[in-house]
Coordinates of all heavy atoms in Angstrom, one line a residue:
M184 N 26.2 17.0 9.4 CA 25.5 16.7 10.7 C 24.6 15.6 10.6 O 24.5 14.6 11.4 CB 25.0 17.9 11.4 CG 24.5 17.7 12.8 SD 24.1 19.2 13.5 CE 23.4 18.6 14.9
F185 N 23.6 15.7 9.7 CA 22.5 14.7 9.7 C 22.7 13.8 8.4 O 21.8 13.5 7.7 CB 21.2 15.3 9.7 CG 20.9 16.0 10.9 CD1 20.9 17.4 11.1 CD2 20.5 15.2 12.0 CE1 20.6 18.0 12.3 CE2 20.2 15.9 13.2 CZ 20.2 17.1 13.3
A186 N 24.0 13.5 8.0 CA 24.3 12.6 6.9 C 23.5 11.4 6.9 O 23.1 10.8 5.9 CB 25.7 12.4 6.7
F187 N 23.2 10.7 8.1 CA 22.7 9.5 8.1 C 21.2 9.5 7.7 O 20.6 8.5 7.4 CB 22.7 8.9 9.5 CG 22.0 9.7 10.6 CD1 20.7 9.4 10.8 CD2 22.6 10.8 11.2 CE1 19.9 10.2 11.9 CE2 22.0 11.5 12.2 CZ 20.6 11.3 12.5
L188 N 20.5 10.7 7.8 CA 19.2 10.8 7.2 C 19.1 11.0 5.6 O 18.0 10.9 5.1 CB 18.5 11.9 7.9 CG 18.3 11.8 9.4 CD1 17.8 13.1 10.0 CD2 17.4 10.6 9.7
K189 N 20.2 11.3 5.2 CA 20.3 11.7 3.6 C 19.5 10.7 2.7 O 18.8 11.0 1.9 CB 21.5 11.9 3.1 CG 21.7 12.5 1.8 CD 23.1 12.9 1.4 CE 23.0 13.6 0.1 NZ 24.4 14.1 -0.2
G190 N 19.8 9.4 2.9 CA 19.2 8.3 2.0 C 18.0 7.7 2.5 O 17.4 6.9 1.9
S191 N 17.4 8.3 3.6 CA 16.1 7.6 4.1 C 14.9 8.3 3.8 O 13.9 8.2 4.4 CB 16.3 7.5 5.7 OG 16.4 8.7 6.2
K192 N 14.9 9.2 2.8 CA 13.7 10.0 2.4 C 12.7 9.1 1.9 O 13.0 8.2 1.2 CB 14.1 11.1 1.4 CG 15.0 12.1 2.0 CD 15.2 13.3 1.1 CE 16.1 14.3 1.8 NZ 16.0 15.6 1.2
K193 N 11.5 9.4 2.3 CA 10.3 8.6 1.8 C 9.5 9.5 0.8 O 9.5 10.8 0.9 CB 9.5 8.2 3.0 CG 10.3 7.4 3.9 CD 9.3 6.7 4.9 CE 10.0 5.9 5.9 NZ 10.0 4.5 5.5
N194 N 8.8 8.8 0.0 CA 8.0 9.5 -1.0 C 6.6 9.9 -0.3 O 5.9 8.9 0.1 CB 7.9 8.6 -2.2 CG 7.0 9.2 -3.3 OD1 5.8 9.5 -3.1 ND2 7.7 9.6 -4.3
K195 N 6.4 11.1 -0.3 CA 5.2 11.7 0.4 C 3.8 10.9 -0.1 O 2.9 10.7 0.6 CB 5.0 13.1 0.5 CG 6.1 13.6 1.5 CD 6.1 15.1 1.6 CE 7.2 15.6 2.5 NZ 7.1 17.1 2.7
E196 N 3.8 11.0 -1.5 CA 2.6 10.5 -2.1 C 2.3 9.0 -1.8 O 1.3 8.7 -1.4 CB 2.6 10.7 -3.7 CG 2.1 12.1 -4.2 CD 2.0 12.0 -5.6 OE1 1.0 11.5 -6.2 OE2 3.0 12.6 -6.3
L197 N 3.4 8.2 -1.9 CA 3.2 6.9 -1.7 C 2.9 6.6 -0.2 O 2.1 5.8 0.2 CB 4.4 6.0 -2.1 CG 4.8 6.0 -3.6 CD1 6.1 5.3 -3.9 CD2 3.6 5.4 -4.4
E198 N 3.6 7.4 0.7 CA 3.3 7.2 2.2 C 2.0 7.6 2.5 O 1.3 7.0 3.4 CB 4.2 8.0 3.0 CG 5.7 7.5 2.9 CD 5.9 6.2 3.5 OE1 5.3 5.9 4.5 OE2 6.6 5.4 2.9
T199 N 1.3 8.6 1.8 CA -0.1 9.0 2.1 C -1.0 7.8 1.7 O -2.0 7.4 2.4 CB -0.4 10.3 1.2 OG1 0.4 11.3 1.7 CG2 -1.8 10.6 1.5
I200 N -0.8 7.1 0.5 CA -1.6 6.0 0.1 C -1.5 4.9 1.0 O -2.4 4.2 1.3 CB -1.2 5.6 -1.4 CG1 -1.5 6.8 -2.4 CG2 -2.0 4.4 -1.8 CD1 -0.9 6.6 -3.7
I201 N -0.3 4.6 1.5 CA 0.0 3.6 2.4 C -0.8 3.8 3.7 O -1.4 2.9 4.3 CB 1.4 3.4 2.8 CG1 2.2 2.7 1.5 CG2 1.9 2.6 4.0 CD1 3.7 2.8 1.5
A202 N -0.8 4.9 4.2 CA -1.5 5.4 5.4 C -3.0 5.1 5.2 O -3.8 4.6 6.1 CB -1.3 6.9 5.8
R203 N -3.5 5.5 4.0 CA -4.8 5.2 3.7 C -5.2 3.7 3.7 O -6.2 3.3 4.2 CB -5.3 5.9 2.3 CG -6.7 6.4 2.2 CD -7.0 7.3 1.2 NE -6.7 6.8 -0.1 CZ -5.9 7.4 -1.0 NH1 -5.4 8.5 -0.6 NH2 -5.6 7.0 -2.2
I204 N -4.3 2.9 3.0 CA -4.5 1.4 3.0 C -4.7 1.0 4.4 O -5.5 0.2 4.8 CB -3.4 0.8 2.3 CG1 -3.4 1.1 0.8 CG2 -3.5 -0.7 2.5 CD1 -2.2 0.7 0.0
D205 N -3.6 1.4 5.3 CA -3.6 0.8 6.7 C -4.8 1.2 7.4 O -5.5 0.5 8.2 CB -2.4 1.3 7.4 CG -1.1 0.7 6.8 OD1 -1.2 -0.4 6.3 OD2 -0.1 1.4 7.1
S206 N -5.3 2.5 7.2 CA -6.5 3.0 7.9 C -7.8 2.3 7.4 O -8.6 1.8 8.2 CB -6.8 4.5 7.5 OG -7.9 4.9 8.1
N207 N -7.9 1.9 6.1 CA -9.1 1.2 5.6 C -9.0 -0.2 6.1 O -10.0 -0.7 6.4 CB -9.1 1.2 4.1 CG -9.5 2.7 3.6 OD1 -10.2 3.4 4.2 ND2 -8.9 3.0 2.4
V208 N -7.9 -0.8 6.2 CA -7.7 -2.2 6.7 C -8.1 -2.3 8.1 O -9.0 -3.1 8.5 CB -6.3 -2.8 6.4 CG1 -6.2 -4.1 7.2 CG2 -6.1 -3.0 5.0
S209 N -7.7 -1.4 8.9 CA -8.0 -1.5 10.2 C -9.5 -1.1 10.6 O -10.0 -1.6 11.6 CB -7.1 -0.4 11.2 OG -7.4 0.8 10.7
N210 N -10.1 -0.4 9.7 CA -11.5 -0.1 9.9 C -12.4 -1.1 9.1 O -13.6 -0.9 9.1 CB -11.9 1.4 9.4 CG -11.3 2.3 10.5 OD1 -11.4 2.2 11.6 ND2 -10.6 3.4 9.9
N211 N -11.8 -2.1 8.6 CA -12.5 -3.1 7.8 C -13.2 -2.6 6.6 O -14.4 -3.1 6.2 CB -13.4 -3.9 8.7 CG -13.8 -5.3 8.3 OD1 -12.9 -5.9 7.5 ND2 -14.8 -5.9 8.6
Y212 N -12.8 -1.6 5.9 CA -13.3 -1.0 4.8 C -12.7 -1.8 3.6 O -11.7 -1.2 3.0 CB -13.1 0.5 4.7 CG -13.7 1.4 5.7 CD1 -13.1 2.5 6.2 CD2 -14.9 1.0 6.4 CE1 -13.7 3.3 7.2 CE2 -15.4 1.7 7.4 CZ -14.9 2.8 7.8 OH -15.4 3.6 8.8
K213 N -13.2 -2.9 3.3 CA -12.6 -3.8 2.2 C -12.5 -3.2 0.9 O -11.4 -3.3 0.3 CB -13.3 -5.1 2.3 CG -13.2 -5.8 3.7 CD -14.0 -7.1 3.6 CE -13.8 -7.7 5.0 NZ -14.5 -9.0 5.2
D214 N -13.5 -2.7 0.3 CA -13.5 -2.1 -1.0 C -12.6 -0.8 -1.1 O -11.8 -0.7 -2.1 CB -14.8 -1.7 -1.4 CG -15.8 -3.0 -1.6 OD1 -15.3 -4.0 -1.8 OD2 -17.1 -2.8 -1.4
A215 N -12.6 -0.1 -0.1 CA -11.7 1.2 -0.1 C -10.3 0.8 0.1 O -9.4 1.3 -0.7 CB -12.1 2.1 1.1
A216 N -10.0 -0.3 0.8 CA -8.6 -0.8 1.0 C -8.1 -1.4 -0.4 O -7.0 -1.1 -0.8 CB -8.5 -1.8 2.1
Q217 N -8.9 -2.1 -1.0 CA -8.5 -2.7 -2.3 C -8.3 -1.5 -3.4 O -7.4 -1.6 -4.1 CB -9.6 -3.6 -2.8 CG -9.7 -4.9 -2.1 CD -8.6 -5.8 -2.2 OE1 -7.7 -5.7 -3.1 NE2 -8.4 -6.8 -1.3
D218 N -9.1 -0.6 -3.3 CA -9.0 0.6 -4.2 C -7.7 1.3 -4.0 O -6.9 1.7 -4.8 CB -10.1 1.6 -4.2 CG -11.5 1.0 -4.7 OD1 -11.4 0.0 -5.5 OD2 -12.5 1.6 -4.3
A219 N -7.3 1.5 -2.7 CA -6.1 2.3 -2.4 C -5.0 1.4 -2.7 O -3.9 2.0 -3.1 CB -6.2 2.7 -0.9
L220 N -5.0 0.1 -2.5 CA -3.9 -0.8 -3.0 C -3.6 -0.7 -4.5 O -2.5 -0.6 -4.9 CB -4.3 -2.3 -2.7 CG -3.2 -3.3 -3.0 CD1 -1.9 -3.0 -2.3 CD2 -3.7 -4.7 -2.7
Q221 N -4.7 -0.7 -5.3 CA -4.6 -0.5 -6.7 C -4.0 0.9 -7.0 O -3.1 1.0 -7.9 CB -5.9 -0.6 -7.4 CG -5.8 -0.7 -8.9 CD -4.9 -1.7 -9.5 OE1 -5.2 -2.9 -9.1 NE2 -4.1 -1.4 -10.4
E222 N -4.4 1.9 -6.4 CA -3.8 3.2 -6.4 C -2.3 3.2 -6.1 O -1.5 3.8 -6.9 CB -4.5 4.2 -5.7 CG -4.0 5.7 -5.8 CD -4.7 6.7 -4.9 OE1 -5.6 6.3 -4.2 OE2 -4.3 7.8 -4.9
F223 N -2.0 2.5 -5.1 CA -0.6 2.4 -4.6 C 0.2 1.8 -5.8 O 1.4 2.1 -6.1 CB -0.5 1.7 -3.4 CG 0.9 1.5 -2.8 CD1 1.8 2.5 -2.5 CD2 1.4 0.1 -2.8 CE1 3.1 2.2 -2.1 CE2 2.7 0.0 -2.2 CZ 3.5 0.9 -1.9
E224 N -0.3 0.5 -6.2 CA 0.4 -0.1 -7.3 C 0.6 0.8 -8.5 O 1.8 0.8 -9.1 CB -0.2 -1.4 -7.7 CG 0.4 -2.3 -8.7 CD -0.2 -3.6 -8.9 OE1 -1.4 -3.9 -8.3 OE2 0.3 -4.4 -9.6
D225 N -0.4 1.5 -9.0 CA -0.3 2.3 -10.1 C 0.7 3.4 -9.9 O 1.5 3.7 -10.8 CB -1.7 2.9 -10.5 CG -2.6 1.8 -10.9 OD1 -2.3 0.6 -11.2 OD2 -3.9 2.1 -10.9
K226 N 0.7 4.1 -8.9 CA 1.5 5.2 -8.5 C 2.9 4.8 -8.4 O 3.9 5.4 -9.0 CB 1.0 5.9 -7.2 CG 1.7 7.3 -7.1 CD 1.5 8.3 -8.1 CE 0.1 8.9 -8.1 NZ 0.0 10.1 -9.0
L227 N 3.2 3.6 -7.9 CA 4.5 3.1 -7.7 C 5.1 2.8 -9.1 O 6.2 3.1 -9.4 CB 4.5 1.7 -6.8 CG 5.8 1.1 -6.6 CD1 6.8 2.0 -6.0 CD2 5.7 -0.2 -6.0
Q228 N 4.3 2.2 -9.9 CA 4.7 1.9 -11.3 C 5.1 3.2 -12.2 O 6.0 3.3 -12.7 CB 3.8 1.0 -12.0 CG 3.5 -0.3 -11.5 CD 4.9 -1.1 -11.4 OE1 5.7 -1.1 -12.3 NE2 5.1 -1.8 -10.3
E229 N 4.3 4.1 -11.8 CA 4.5 5.5 -12.5 C 5.8 6.2 -12.0 O 6.6 6.6 -12.8 CB 3.4 6.4 -12.1 CG 3.4 7.8 -12.6 CD 2.2 8.6 -12.2 OE1 1.1 8.2 -12.2 OE2 2.5 9.9 -11.8
F230 N 6.1 6.0 -10.7 CA 7.4 6.5 -10.1 C 8.6 5.8 -10.7 O 9.6 6.4 -10.9 CB 7.3 6.7 -8.6 CG 6.6 7.8 -8.1 CD1 5.6 7.6 -7.0 CD2 6.5 9.0 -8.6 CE1 4.9 8.6 -6.5 CE2 5.7 10.0 -8.2 CZ 4.9 9.9 -7.1
I231 N 8.5 4.5 -10.8 CA 9.5 3.7 -11.2 C 9.8 4.0 -12.7 O 11.0 4.2 -13.1 CB 9.2 2.2 -10.9 CG1 9.3 1.9 -9.5 CG2 10.2 1.3 -11.8 CD1 8.8 0.5 -9.3
A232 N 8.7 4.1 -13.5 CA 8.9 4.4 -14.9 C 9.6 5.8 -15.0 O 10.4 6.0 -16.0 CB 7.7 4.3 -15.7
A233 N 9.3 6.7 -14.3 CA 9.8 8.1 -14.3 C 11.2 8.2 -13.7 O 12.0 9.1 -14.0 CB 8.9 9.0 -13.6
G234 N 11.6 7.1 -13.0 CA 13.0 7.1 -12.3 C 13.0 8.1 -11.2 O 14.2 8.5 -10.8
T235 N 12.0 8.4 -10.5 CA 12.0 9.3 -9.4 C 12.4 8.7 -8.0 O 12.6 9.3 -7.1 CB 10.7 10.0 -9.2 OG1 9.7 9.1 -9.0 CG2 10.5 10.9 -10.4
L236 N 12.4 7.4 -8.0 CA 12.7 6.6 -6.8 C 14.2 6.1 -6.9 O 14.6 5.5 -7.9 CB 11.8 5.4 -6.5 CG 10.3 5.7 -6.4 CD1 9.5 4.5 -6.3 CD2 10.1 6.7 -5.2
N237 N 14.9 6.2 -5.8 CA 16.2 5.6 -5.8 C 16.1 4.1 -5.6 O 15.0 3.5 -5.3 CB 17.2 6.2 -4.7 CG 16.7 6.0 -3.3 OD1 16.2 5.0 -3.0 ND2 17.0 7.2 -2.5
D238 N 17.2 3.3 -5.6 CA 17.1 1.8 -5.6 C 16.5 1.4 -4.1 O 15.8 0.5 -4.1 CB 18.4 1.3 -5.8 CG 19.0 1.3 -7.2 OD1 17.9 1.5 -8.1 OD2 20.1 1.3 -7.5
K239 N 17.0 2.0 -3.1 CA 16.5 1.7 -1.8 C 15.1 1.9 -1.7 O 14.3 1.0 -1.1 CB 17.2 2.5 -0.7 CG 17.0 2.1 0.6 CD 17.9 2.9 1.7 CE 17.5 2.5 3.2 NZ 18.2 3.4 4.1
Q240 N 14.5 3.0 -2.1 CA 13.1 3.3 -2.1 C 12.3 2.3 -2.9 O 11.3 1.9 -2.5 CB 12.8 4.7 -2.5 CG 13.2 5.8 -1.6 CD 13.1 7.2 -2.3 OE1 13.4 7.3 -3.5 NE2 12.7 8.2 -1.4
K241 N 12.8 2.0 -4.1 CA 12.2 1.1 -5.0 C 12.0 -0.3 -4.4 O 10.9 -0.8 -4.4 CB 13.0 1.0 -6.3 CG 12.4 0.1 -7.4 CD 13.3 0.2 -8.6 CE 12.8 -1.0 -9.6 NZ 13.8 -1.0 -10.7
T242 N 13.1 -0.7 -3.8 CA 13.0 -2.1 -3.1 C 12.1 -2.1 -2.0 O 11.3 -3.1 -1.8 CB 14.4 -2.5 -2.6 OG1 15.3 -2.4 -3.8 CG2 14.5 -3.8 -2.0
E243 N 12.2 -1.1 -1.2 CA 11.2 -0.9 0.0 C 9.9 -0.9 -0.4 O 8.9 -1.7 0.1 CB 11.5 0.3 0.8 CG 10.6 0.5 2.0 CD 10.8 1.9 2.8 OE1 11.9 2.4 2.6 OE2 9.9 2.2 3.5
Y244 N 9.4 -0.1 -1.4 CA 8.0 0.1 -1.7 C 7.5 -1.2 -2.6 O 6.3 -1.6 -2.4 CB 7.9 1.3 -2.6 CG 7.9 2.5 -1.8 CD1 8.8 3.6 -2.1 CD2 7.0 2.8 -0.7 CE1 8.9 4.8 -1.3 CE2 7.0 3.9 0.1 CZ 8.0 4.9 -0.2 OH 8.1 6.0 0.6
E245 N 8.4 -1.8 -3.3 CA 8.0 -3.1 -4.0 C 7.8 -4.1 -2.9 O 6.8 -5.0 -3.1 CB 9.0 -3.5 -5.0 CG 9.0 -2.6 -6.2 CD 10.2 -3.0 -7.3 OE1 11.2 -3.6 -6.8 OE2 10.0 -2.7 -8.3
S246 N 8.6 -4.2 -1.9 CA 8.4 -5.2 -0.9 C 7.1 -5.0 -0.2 O 6.3 -6.0 0.2 CB 9.6 -5.1 0.1 OG 9.4 -6.0 1.3
R247 N 6.8 -3.8 0.1 CA 5.4 -3.4 0.8 C 4.3 -3.7 -0.1 O 3.3 -4.2 0.3 CB 5.3 -1.9 1.1 CG 6.2 -1.6 2.4 CD 5.9 -0.1 2.8 NE 5.2 0.0 4.0 CZ 5.3 1.0 4.7 NH1 6.0 2.1 4.3 NH2 4.7 1.1 5.8
L248 N 4.4 -3.5 -1.3 CA 3.4 -3.9 -2.4 C 3.2 -5.4 -2.3 O 2.0 -5.8 -2.2 CB 3.6 -3.4 -3.7 CG 2.7 -3.7 -4.8 CD1 1.3 -3.2 -4.5 CD2 3.2 -3.3 -6.1
A249 N 4.2 -6.2 -2.3 CA 4.1 -7.6 -2.3 C 3.4 -8.1 -1.0 O 2.5 -9.0 -1.0 CB 5.4 -8.2 -2.5
S250 N 3.8 -7.5 0.1 CA 3.1 -7.8 1.4 C 1.8 -7.5 1.5 O 0.9 -8.3 1.8 CB 3.9 -7.0 2.6 OG 3.3 -7.3 3.7
Y251 N 1.3 -6.2 1.0 CA -0.1 -5.9 0.9 C -0.8 -6.8 0.0 O -2.0 -7.3 0.4 CB -0.3 -4.5 0.5 CG 0.0 -3.4 1.5 CD1 0.8 -2.3 1.2 CD2 -0.6 -3.5 2.7 CE1 1.0 -1.4 2.1 CE2 -0.4 -2.5 3.7 CZ 0.4 -1.4 3.4 OH 0.6 -0.5 4.3
R252 N -0.3 -7.2 -1.1 CA -1.1 -8.2 -2.0 C -1.4 -9.4 -1.3 O -2.4 -9.9 -1.5 CB -0.2 -8.3 -3.3 CG -0.4 -7.3 -4.3 CD 0.3 -7.9 -5.5 NE 0.6 -6.8 -6.5 CZ 1.6 -6.8 -7.4 NH1 2.5 -7.7 -7.3 NH2 1.7 -5.7 -8.2
D253 N -0.3 -10.0 -0.7 CA -0.4 -11.3 0.0 C -1.4 -11.2 1.1 O -2.3 -12.0 1.3 CB 0.9 -11.7 0.5 CG 0.9 -13.2 1.1 OD1 0.3 -14.0 0.3 OD2 1.5 -13.3 2.2
N254 N -1.4 -10.2 2.0 CA -2.3 -10.1 3.1 C -3.7 -9.7 2.7 O -4.7 -10.1 3.5 CB -1.8 -8.9 4.1 CG -0.4 -9.4 4.7 OD1 -0.2 -10.5 4.9 ND2 0.3 -8.4 5.1
M255 N -3.9 -9.1 1.5 CA -5.2 -8.6 1.1 C -5.8 -9.5 0.1 O -6.8 -9.2 -0.6 CB -5.2 -7.2 0.8 CG -4.9 -6.3 1.9 SD -4.6 -4.5 1.4 CE -6.2 -4.2 0.7
K256 N -5.2 -10.7 -0.1 CA -5.7 -11.6 -1.3 C -7.1 -11.9 -1.2 O -7.9 -11.8 -2.2 CB -4.9 -12.9 -1.2 CG -5.0 -13.8 -2.5 CD -4.1 -14.9 -2.4 CE -2.7 -14.4 -2.7 NZ -1.7 -15.4 -2.8
E257 N -7.6 -12.2 -0.1 CA -9.0 -12.5 0.1 C -9.9 -11.4 1.0 O -10.8 -11.8 1.6 CB -9.3 -14.0 0.6 CG -8.8 -14.9 -0.3 CD -8.9 -16.4 0.2 OE1 -9.5 -16.5 1.3 OE2 -8.4 -17.3 -0.4
F258 N -9.3 -10.2 0.9 CA -10.0 -9.2 1.7 C -10.9 -8.4 1.0 O -10.7 -7.3 0.5 CB -8.7 -8.2 2.2 CG -9.2 -7.3 3.2 CD1 -9.5 -7.7 4.5 CD2 -9.2 -5.9 3.1 CE1 -9.9 -6.8 5.5 CE2 -9.6 -5.0 4.0 CZ -10.0 -5.5 5.3
T259 N -12.1 -9.1 0.7 CA -13.2 -8.4 -0.1 C -14.5 -8.9 0.6 O -14.6 -9.8 1.3 CB -13.2 -8.9 -1.5 OG1 -13.4 -10.3 -1.6 CG2 -12.0 -8.6 -2.3
H260 N -15.5 -8.1 0.3 CA -16.9 -8.5 0.9 C -17.5 -9.7 0.2 O -18.2 -10.4 0.9 CB -17.8 -7.2 0.5 CG -17.6 -6.1 1.6 ND1 -17.7 -6.2 2.9 CD2 -17.1 -4.8 1.3 CE1 -17.4 -5.0 3.5 NE2 -17.0 -4.2 2.5
K261 N -17.1 -9.9 -1.0 CA -17.7 -11.2 -1.8 C -17.3 -12.4 -1.1 O -17.9 -13.4 -1.2 CB -17.4 -11.0 -3.2 CG -16.1 -11.3 -3.6 CD -15.8 -11.3 -5.1 CE -14.4 -11.4 -5.4 NZ -14.2 -11.6 -6.9
D262 N -16.0 -12.4 -0.5 CA -15.5 -13.6 0.1 C -16.0 -13.8 1.6 O -15.7 -14.7 2.2 CB -14.0 -13.6 0.2 CG -13.4 -13.7 -1.2 OD1 -14.1 -14.3 -2.1 OD2 -12.2 -13.0 -1.5
Q263 N -16.7 -12.8 2.1 CA -17.2 -12.8 3.5 C -18.3 -13.8 3.6 O -19.2 -13.8 2.8 CB -17.7 -11.5 3.8 CG -18.0 -11.3 5.4 CD -18.3 -9.8 5.6 OE1 -18.1 -8.9 4.8 NE2 -19.0 -9.6 6.7
K264 N -18.2 -14.7 4.6 CA -19.3 -15.7 4.9 C -20.3 -15.0 5.7 O -20.0 -14.6 6.8 CB -18.6 -16.9 5.5 CG -17.4 -17.6 4.7 CD -17.9 -18.2 3.4 CE -16.7 -18.7 2.7 NZ -16.6 -18.5 1.4
P265 N -21.6 -15.3 5.4 CA -22.6 -14.8 6.2 C -22.8 -15.6 7.5 O -22.4 -16.8 7.6 CB -23.9 -15.1 5.5 CG -23.6 -16.1 4.3 CD -22.0 -15.9 4.3
Y266 N -22.9 -15.0 8.6 CA -22.9 -15.7 9.9 C -24.0 -16.5 10.3 O -24.1 -17.3 11.1 CB -22.8 -14.5 11.0 CG -23.9 -13.7 11.1 CD1 -25.1 -14.0 11.9 CD2 -24.0 -12.4 10.5 CE1 -26.2 -13.2 11.9 CE2 -25.1 -11.5 10.6 CZ -26.2 -11.9 11.4 OH -27.3 -11.0 11.4
W267 N -25.2 -16.3 9.5 CA -26.3 -17.2 9.7 C -26.3 -18.5 9.0 O -27.3 -19.3 9.2 CB -27.5 -16.5 9.3 CG -27.6 -16.0 7.9 CD1 -27.9 -16.7 6.8 CD2 -27.1 -14.7 7.3 NE1 -27.8 -16.1 5.6 CE2 -27.3 -14.8 5.9 CE3 -26.7 -13.6 7.9 CZ2 -27.0 -13.7 5.1 CZ3 -26.4 -12.6 7.1 CH2 -26.5 -12.6 5.6
N268 N -25.3 -18.9 8.3 CA -25.2 -20.2 7.7 C -24.6 -21.2 8.6 O -23.7 -21.1 9.5 CB -24.4 -20.2 6.4 CG -25.2 -19.6 5.3 OD1 -26.3 -19.5 5.4 ND2 -24.5 -19.2 4.1

C-alpha cells in the first residue's frame, strides 16, 4: 500500500544534525553552525564507510554537504567586518 515510501527513508542522526545546522544558521550562531557542519561531514563519512546508506541517501546527503560548504564558506565571526569602520 505504501510502497512509494519504501525508498525515501531518511537517516535520523543526519537529519538531526541538519536541523541543528539550519537552526544555528538562522540564529546567526556562526561557530555552532560550523561545528555542526563538521559533525555532519564526519558522521556522513562514517555512515558511508559502514555502508549503512543506500545510493539515493548517499547522493542526497553528499549534495547537501556540498551546498552547506558553499553557503558557509565565509560564515565565521573572524570574517565579520566591524560596523564602526
Side-chain angles (χ1 to χ4, degrees):
M184 180 173 173
F185 293 105
F187 64 93
L188 293 175
K189 188 174 185 178
S191 66
K192 293 190 178 193
K193 299 193 181 263
N194 184 290
K195 289 183 182 182
E196 270 189 83
L197 293 177
E198 290 297 322
T199 301
I200 297 170
I201 288 170
R203 208 166 57 237
I204 292 170
D205 291 339
S206 175
N207 288 329
V208 168
S209 69
N210 289 315
N211 205 27
Y212 299 148
K213 296 176 181 181
D214 294 334
Q217 291 290 349
D218 291 344
L220 177 62
Q221 184 61 48
E222 181 184 356
F223 176 63
E224 184 174 3
D225 294 343
K226 191 59 79 170
L227 178 60
Q228 294 305 319
E229 181 182 315
F230 284 136
I231 290 172
T235 57
L236 299 176
N237 63 34
D238 290 337
K239 185 177 178 182
Q240 290 173 320
K241 182 179 169 187
T242 303
E243 178 185 342
Y244 289 125
E245 286 177 336
S246 172
R247 281 186 116 160
L248 176 61
S250 175
Y251 280 131
R252 276 190 195 149
D253 188 46
N254 292 336
M255 294 173 56
K256 190 173 286 187
E257 295 181 8
F258 192 69
T259 62
H260 287 294
K261 68 179 181 176
D262 294 329
Q263 187 173 348
K264 305 293 185 225
Y266 64 87
W267 57 84
N268 283 346

